[in-house]
Amino acid sequence: MECTDFEFSFRKVRITIQQEAFQGTILQQTFEVEYVVAYHQCPDCAKSFTANTWRAVVQVRQKVPHKRTFLYLEQLILKHSAHKDTINIREVKDGLDFFYSQRNHAEKFVDFLTSVAPVRSKKSQELISMDIHTSTKSYKFSFSIELVPICKDDLVALPIKLAKQIGNIAPLTICHRIGTTINLLDPNTLQTAEVSTPIYWRSPFSSLADVQELVEFVVMDLEPIGPQKSRWLLAEATVARASDLGVNDITYFTRTHLGNVLHAGDSVMGYQLTGSNFNNPNFEALEQSNTYSSSIPDVILVKKLYPRKKKSKSRNWRLKRMNKDEGELLPKKQDQERMERDFEMFLQDVEEDPEYRSGLALYKAEQAKRQKDKMEGLETASVAETEETEETEEGEEVPKIDMDELLNDFDELDVKDAEEEE
């Protein structure tokens, strides 16, 4: 068979062929071939846009009444691009679910979480299908990750035995940082201690009080007594509840680690132990102990309160957020308000604590509003609402972040932006 003619047009091909049927006899035929281009996705892309096609899921949970720890963990994930292999991120009660198309991607993410936070993991698998002829089996893998239920600025009552093992620290402490370990501080002596992940999960304990139970106090008198350790200075303070001013003359005398930032007349947030009932076995053991019962203070001060203006301008910095699926249950109005309140509290912690923000990626906010208009509905930068050089009513500046600490977001630097600037 021989092709004697070939014509090509849009989506059509005309072909003429010849073949000798008998001696001296040649058959010739011309026919048209019409073809259709069918576009399709590769298997990996098809799975990413189809529900219930994941092979592994990492379920991250923390049983606390706020989202501040997850907000901090989200920034660490974004900084190290640990979520690049996920096909979906779903927000659920008490945590997040990360879905993956491959098992090794999920295991890599579990290793990352273990390296940045005190967690414990548990693995399970479910048989999906099996070929009885080739003995080929298909599994779905689930990794359960549980974060310690202790957060920054929480009041912690340690078991007396554990407190002696980690440096003979006083059992009543403040959690000043959560890293790969739980970092605790005794505000009466400035002694610090660390509780490692294996030690904590061997005999877990919960916090005595969290940031939602903080009470506002006013400093009536402050006298530094030293020593100074890192960014803390030991001082003796006389404080009164802000709600008691003008009502009664009740004051409290306590020691604090905030001697270098507090002054007479400042507002400070703290935990009031006098008159409070705690359903905690470790605190009950302290009250019954002959050694520690007399050392329980009336008030424990945690952090200085900076009065901020209600109507404020935008910050000179911003944080990126992950694009998450809210799932079938959308947050209620009160839940949405609580999430916004938790996010604002997290932003204030970032501003006020240089050590806390040292591991985060902060970006300049010059083009944040422009990007929000162009990228609506996609992963956008969340710009907080406050003023760059915001001042309190007394004239004292609220802690702000230096421009040298901010990064340029190169995702925003495109040709259109350059033309608009010109």
Side-chain angles (χ1 to χ4, degrees):
M1 183 180 296
E2 180 182 0
C3 180
T4 59
D5 190 14
F6 180 86
E7 296 181 3
F8 175 80
S9 61
F10 181 71
R11 291 188 177 181
K12 289 185 179 181
V13 177
R14 181 186 297 274
I15 302 176
T16 302
I17 58 176
Q18 292 181 353
Q19 185 176 7
E20 185 177 359
F22 303 100
Q23 185 176 3
T25 304
I26 297 177
L27 297 179
Q28 177 176 310
Q29 184 177 1
T30 301
F31 57 91
E32 293 182 353
V33 178
E34 183 176 357
Y35 62 91
V36 178
V37 178
Y39 297 96
H40 66 279
Q41 295 176 320
C42 66
D44 293 336
C45 294
K47 286 183 178 180
S48 64
F49 288 97
T50 307
N52 302 322
T53 57
W54 53 270
R55 285 301 179 90
V57 59
V58 180
Q59 301 172 331
V60 187
R61 300 289 185 271
Q62 187 186 35
K63 298 179 181 179
V64 293
H66 55 80
K67 296 285 187 180
R68 292 169 60 224
T69 303
F70 276 101
L71 292 171
Y72 182 75
L73 185 62
E74 177 185 5
Q75 297 305 316
L76 294 179
I77 294 173
L78 288 171
K79 180 179 180 180
H80 297 88
S81 301
H83 67 306
K84 62 180 181 179
D85 296 322
T86 58
I87 59 176
N88 190 20
I89 302 175
R90 182 176 300 169
E91 189 169 3
V92 296
K93 183 181 179 182
D94 296 333
L96 298 171
D97 288 345
F98 297 83
F99 296 92
Y100 294 89
S101 60
Q102 297 182 23
R103 172 186 172 185
N104 58 339
H105 292 163
E107 291 176 341
K108 182 180 178 181
F109 184 69
V110 172
D111 293 339
F112 169 78
L113 294 178
T114 306
S115 65
V116 297
V119 302
R120 66 175 174 181
S121 60
K122 184 179 180 181
K123 175 186 173 183
S124 62
Q125 60 186 23
E126 178 184 2
L127 179 63
I128 302 301
S129 62
M130 180 178 65
D131 189 345
I132 59 175
H133 301 289
T134 61
S135 298
T136 303
K137 301 178 182 179
S138 177
Y139 289 94
K140 280 189 174 182
F141 301 91
S142 298
F143 298 87
S144 177
I145 305 297
E146 184 180 358
L147 292 168
V148 295
I150 298 176
C151 305
K152 183 177 179 293
D153 296 333
D154 282 0
L155 181 63
V156 180
L158 294 171
I160 296 177
K161 182 179 179 181
L162 177 61
K164 293 180 179 179
Q165 292 176 352
I166 59 176
N168 199 24
I169 191 174
L172 199 58
T173 59
I174 298 174
C175 176
H176 70 90
R177 182 176 177 270
I178 291 288
T180 54
T181 59
I182 304 173
N183 298 266
L184 303 173
L185 168 68
D186 179 12
N188 291 319
T189 61
L190 300 187
Q191 182 181 356
T192 58
E194 295 181 356
V195 179
S196 62
T197 304
I199 292 178
Y200 175 83
W201 291 115
R202 195 179 305 157
S203 56
F205 54 89
S206 59
S207 59
L208 185 62
D210 57 44
V211 291
Q212 295 184 344
E213 302 175 47
L214 288 172
V215 180
E216 182 180 352
F217 294 90
V218 176
V219 180
M220 311 302 293
D221 187 22
L222 185 78
E223 182 180 354
I225 60 175
Q228 183 169 359
K229 184 176 181 181
S230 182
R231 55 192 176 93
W232 302 309
L233 175 63
L234 190 62
E236 293 180 345
T238 302
V239 298
R241 291 185 55 172
S243 58
D244 291 344
L245 295 179
V247 179
N248 54 54
D249 297 332
I250 300 177
T251 58
Y252 304 94
F253 180 79
T254 184
R255 282 190 172 187
T256 179
H257 60 290
L258 303 174
N260 57 344
V261 294
L262 291 181
H263 305 87
D266 288 347
S267 297
V268 60
M269 303 299 290
Y271 296 104
Q272 182 175 0
L273 305 184
T274 301
S276 300
N277 295 324
F278 298 104
N279 186 15
N280 188 288
N282 296 330
F283 186 73
E284 293 176 0
L286 292 181
E287 292 180 324
Q288 298 172 4
S289 173
N290 296 328
T291 306
Y292 299 106
S293 60
S294 60
S295 62
I296 298 177
D298 297 332
V299 171
I300 294 182
L301 304 181
V302 177
K303 61 180 180 179
K304 182 177 179 179
L305 177 62
Y306 295 91
R308 299 171 183 265
K309 297 180 180 179
K310 295 182 179 180
K311 296 183 179 180
S312 55
K313 301 179 182 179
S314 47
R315 288 183 170 94
N316 65 331
W317 59 276
R318 62 186 178 87
L319 294 173
K320 287 187 175 181
R321 301 297 304 275
M322 288 190 302
N323 189 15
K324 293 172 288 191
D325 182 10
E326 295 181 350
E328 298 178 357
L329 298 177
L330 296 177
K332 299 179 181 179
K333 183 178 180 180
Q334 57 268 28
D335 295 336
Q336 185 67 29
E337 293 176 354
R338 179 178 55 83
M339 293 170 61
E340 293 176 357
R341 185 171 60 253
D342 291 342
F343 185 63
E344 177 61 28
M345 188 180 298
F346 170 70
L347 294 176
Q348 293 179 9
D349 289 341
V350 172
E351 281 181 331
E352 298 171 5
D353 193 344
E355 182 182 359
Y356 188 62
R357 66 173 179 261
S358 61
L360 307 182
L362 308 180
Y363 296 90
K364 298 179 180 179
E366 289 86 358
Q367 301 176 5
K369 186 179 295 185
R370 194 186 313 170
Q371 183 184 18
K372 183 178 180 180
D373 296 337
K374 292 189 295 183
M375 303 291 289
E376 185 176 3
L378 302 177
E379 180 179 343
T380 59
S382 181
V383 182
E385 299 289 332
T386 191
E387 189 178 1
E388 177 183 356
T389 59
E390 184 180 12
E391 295 183 356
T392 63
E393 296 177 357
E394 293 79 7
E396 182 182 358
E397 289 189 2
V398 173
K400 62 180 181 179
I401 299 177
D402 192 1
M403 292 295 291
D404 296 337
E405 301 181 45
L406 305 181
L407 304 174
N408 289 315
D409 188 3
F410 290 100
D411 295 338
E412 297 181 354
L413 302 179
D414 51 18
V415 177
K416 293 182 180 179
D417 291 338
E419 292 177 354
E420 292 177 2
E421 291 178 357
E422 293 178 358

